[in-house]
Amino acid sequence: MNWLLKLENVKKFYSTGKVVIPALRSVSLTVEEKEYIAIMGPSGSGKSTLLHIIGFLDTPTEGRYYFKENDVSNLSDSALAKMRNKEIGFIFQTFNLLPRFSALENVELPLIYAGEKREVRRKKAIAILERVGLRDRINHRPNELSGGETQRVAIARALVTNPTLLLADEPTGNLDTKSGAEIMSLFSELAAEGRTIILVTHDPNIAKMAKRQLLMIDGGIVQ
């Protein structure tokens, strides 16, 4: 199996006035292709900061980040944005859907940014909404969907560009137990299809569903 990404002694500091806050302390991590990883840890442990660096939303203060054997540690914002749109599918706890757009229109958005023609992107969006079980809900807006359905739309939007890496930040955090279980079942299916997935969660029962678990405390991976 080949590695997809590698972090070497990555540190991240934030400055507020004269105070320097260490968010990540010398994190080293290798993620193989097709791995399904859960990152656990208390609030403030650095989980989301790590996910943002992996997903090209932030850059390390120190250390190296290699993605597909390319050093991406110091790329410009525009270069990171291109990498993010091509390689990464993001799923957030708060869904981050546009409320006035239908499920179909929300899922089409990444394809618009990618320059896909209307007929092509509509076909792809419908196909991926069918994949997540929402064929009969494609014209509904987020406020007309249940929490679980809304998260499925968010997952479809993350998948529609066929990203190399799927990142999920507390994807069941705003869902009831039944909807959360359904979403995690979908993640298991995606992992079985060979998707590379990194999931952040507070819930040990959810973490157990991943093939590999990492624990973060005070900005470092401890196990």
Side-chain angles (χ1 to χ4, degrees):
M1 194 179 290
N2 300 318
W3 63 265
L4 174 64
L5 65 92
K6 189 176 292 187
L7 281 72
E8 295 179 349
N9 301 313
V10 164
K11 300 178 183 178
K12 184 66 183 182
F13 304 106
Y14 295 104
S15 298
T16 55
K18 294 182 179 180
V19 179
V20 176
I21 301 167
L24 293 179
R25 305 171 189 261
S26 200
V27 170
S28 294
L29 172 66
T30 300
V31 176
E32 308 285 347
E33 292 176 353
K34 302 183 181 181
E35 265 204 293
Y36 182 13
I37 296 173
I39 302 174
M40 290 194 65
S43 295
S45 60
K47 304 185 304 296
S48 291
T49 300
L50 178 59
L51 207 66
H52 287 174
I53 287 175
I54 289 172
F56 309 119
L57 287 170
D58 207 345
T59 52
T61 308
E62 295 179 23
R64 315 309 302 172
Y65 175 21
Y66 300 93
F67 190 89
K68 291 184 172 178
E69 299 186 358
N70 298 307
D71 189 344
V72 296
S73 312
N74 298 307
L75 289 182
S76 65
D77 288 347
S78 60
L80 286 173
K82 282 182 183 177
M83 289 277 288
R84 190 165 60 243
N85 197 45
K86 180 184 177 186
E87 305 283 3
I88 308 295
F90 264 106
I91 301 154
F92 301 94
Q93 178 177 348
T94 51
F95 315 133
N96 287 9
L97 300 179
L98 296 180
R100 294 186 179 183
F101 281 31
S102 68
L104 180 60
E105 290 166 333
N106 268 288
V107 173
E108 281 184 292
L109 274 176
L111 299 176
I112 293 173
Y113 298 142
E116 292 270 18
K117 291 182 179 179
R118 187 176 184 275
E119 315 84 66
V120 175
R121 68 176 187 252
R122 184 136 296 197
K123 188 175 180 181
K124 286 183 178 180
I126 290 171
I128 206 71
L129 282 163
E130 286 178 344
R131 167 66 188 84
V132 299
L134 290 177
R135 179 64 181 88
D136 60 343
R137 311 292 276 173
I138 63 173
N139 294 315
H140 288 64
R141 293 181 180 180
N143 67 352
E144 299 169 324
L145 300 171
S146 68
E149 288 171 339
T150 305
Q151 190 60 295
R152 284 174 182 268
V153 174
I155 292 171
R157 180 186 58 187
L159 290 171
V160 75
T161 57
N162 194 29
T164 306
L165 176 62
L166 202 57
L167 301 177
D169 196 352
E170 298 283 1
T172 61
N174 283 342
L175 303 178
D176 59 62
T177 304
K178 181 175 180 291
S179 298
E182 290 171 353
I183 292 301
M184 291 314 301
S185 176
L186 179 55
F187 274 110
S188 294
E189 290 174 18
L190 293 169
E193 291 170 6
R195 298 274 178 183
T196 309
I197 302 171
I198 302 177
L199 175 88
V200 162
T201 182
H202 280 97
D203 188 336
N205 291 319
I206 286 173
K208 284 177 188 173
M209 299 181 75
K211 295 290 189 293
R212 178 177 166 203
Q213 295 86 37
L214 304 175
L215 177 62
M216 290 193 73
I217 294 176
D218 295 334
I221 296 174
V222 297
Q223 70 178 51

